[in-house]
Amino acid sequence: MNSSRRPAAAGAAAPDRRGPCTVTAVDAVTAVVTAGPVAALAGWNRPHPAPGPWGLPWQVLLGAAYVLVALWLAGVAGARRRAGRPAATAIPAGYRGALAALPVIPVCLAAEVLWHSRFGAETGPAALFEPGHVALVTATFVIVTTPVRSAAARTATGGPVPLRHLWPAMLAAGTAAALVLLCLGYANAATYPAATIVDLLSQPDGPQVRGLAAAMAISAVVLLLPLLYLARRWRIPFGAATLTMLPPVAVSAAGAGGGNLSVLVALLIAAVVVDLLALCLDPCAARPVAYRGFAAGAAFFTWSLYIGVASAAAGRVPDTLSVWTGAPLVTAALAWLLAALLLPETDTPGELLAGPPTTR
């Protein structure tokens, strides 16, 4: 029998018409290197940023991180070209977007310098809405998600993939979520100290409790979306939730200066339990009910633990019962809706693999 006609096993290498695929080791280095700009942005955006490592300003470290990313990506393409790859296929699958986004970075940095020289340096949420900053983060997002696109090109859809093959994509997905939370610093519920959470949830109404409620809803979506994307494409291995949670926790720790330690510990514990929940439910595109149930259960447990650990650290329970008991239910409902949008009822495993039907 001709082995070339056998279907690819689930999780095995899949043919990629867009170009060659990279190995997991290259994606692993890419995931670590591309996390550098996000770490530098987190240090730069701190309320009172002290000098970074070696006493260097964070702006210098940010530029150095982008230079390192550019050198690495150029090195990957150059190594494949020297190995005899044709020029048209020297850029690995999943890496073209990153190489296209690289020239945008210096333009965005120059735009920020011009903006500050004309309108002055802004702080707080105003700085996050600067056009140059928004464009910079968008280009960085494309670069950071390179291992996710590479893994999508390298592995078949719908089957289980070992953690050793998928962890760079998981780490990159978590770094992308951390970058989004960094831009939504005004709506990151993980930056609130425990005592502040209890005090605000004790208020029946007011702008501050509404701000926390909105931050919890937004953070729930941002933290869960990478995991739901991975589970929609593959059967995720144990450890996926923990890996995707690590970068957002690190960014949130930098944003709060370490004053939210108990909350961050609660999120990490919740990630381990979410991994156990995924092990039990096996959420994937072929199991839509389990997929949506996993989303709702993960959100409910995460934010229940968020409030519970904050209450334990503060030494008291919030006074307004309906607020702190209903908040996890709201996040669970939002997670269920998000899962329903990502995996509609009309989706079947065959449709997900083959794509939409074509008309003649």
Side-chain angles (χ1 to χ4, degrees), residues 35 52 133 158 182 190-191 223 228 241 281 295 352:
H133 189 84
L182 191 59
T191 59
L223 292 176
L228 291 181
L281 294 181
L352 288 172

Side-chain angles (χ1 to χ4, degrees), residues 7 33 55 59 69 113 127 137 173 203 208 235 237 248 255 258 267 294 357:
V33 170
Q59 296 91 323
V69 170
V113 172
V137 169
Q203 301 175 13
Q208 291 183 319
R235 289 190 168 179
L267 292 179
F294 166 76

Side-chain angles (χ1 to χ4, degrees), residues 56-322:
L56 295 175
W58 285 105
Q59 296 91 323
V60 175
L61 293 172
L62 178 62
Y66 281 122
V67 170
L68 181 60
V69 170
L71 291 174
W72 168 250
L73 294 179
V76 170
R80 295 172 67 85
R81 187 71 180 92
R82 290 191 300 272
R85 295 277 185 175
T89 59
I91 301 174
Y95 281 66
R96 294 186 180 92
L99 288 171
L102 277 176
V104 181
I105 299 298
V107 176
C108 296
L109 293 174
E112 286 213 71
V113 172
L114 292 175
W115 182 277
H116 292 165
S117 63
R118 177 63 180 84
F119 301 104
E122 296 171 323
T123 58
L128 301 175
F129 288 97
E130 292 177 3
H133 189 84
V134 174
L136 177 68
V137 169
T138 303
T140 305
F141 185 90
V142 175
I143 294 172
V144 163
T145 51
T146 297
V148 180
R149 296 190 298 272
S150 177
R154 193 178 63 249
T155 57
T157 303
V161 183
L163 181 63
R164 66 181 183 275
H165 291 159
L166 202 58
W167 76 262
M170 295 175 181
L171 184 61
T175 304
L179 181 62
V180 173
L181 284 181
L182 191 59
C183 296
L184 302 177
Y186 48 87
N188 184 0
T191 59
Y192 285 74
T196 303
I197 294 171
V198 174
D199 290 340
L200 295 183
L201 293 181
S202 298
Q203 301 175 13
D205 196 9
Q208 291 183 319
V209 66
R210 293 187 183 192
L212 176 58
M216 290 177 64
I218 293 172
S219 299
V221 171
V222 173
L223 292 176
L224 190 58
L225 185 56
L227 199 59
L228 291 181
Y229 171 81
L230 294 171
R232 185 182 187 273
R233 189 168 186 89
W234 302 287
R235 289 190 168 179
I236 54 176
F238 183 82
T242 304
L243 274 173
T244 56
M245 183 65 77
L246 286 176
V249 164
V251 165
S252 301
N260 56 340
L261 182 60
S262 59
V263 173
L264 299 179
V265 171
L267 292 179
L268 289 176
I269 295 174
V272 176
V273 177
V274 170
D275 273 324
L276 293 173
L277 183 65
L279 195 63
C280 295
L281 294 181
D282 188 21
C284 60
R287 295 166 51 84
V289 175
Y291 184 85
R292 299 185 184 97
F294 166 76
F300 178 80
F301 182 83
T302 298
W303 297 99
S304 296
L305 193 62
Y306 172 88
I307 296 174
V309 171
S311 301
R316 64 188 184 92
V317 176
D319 297 334
T320 308
L321 180 64
S322 59

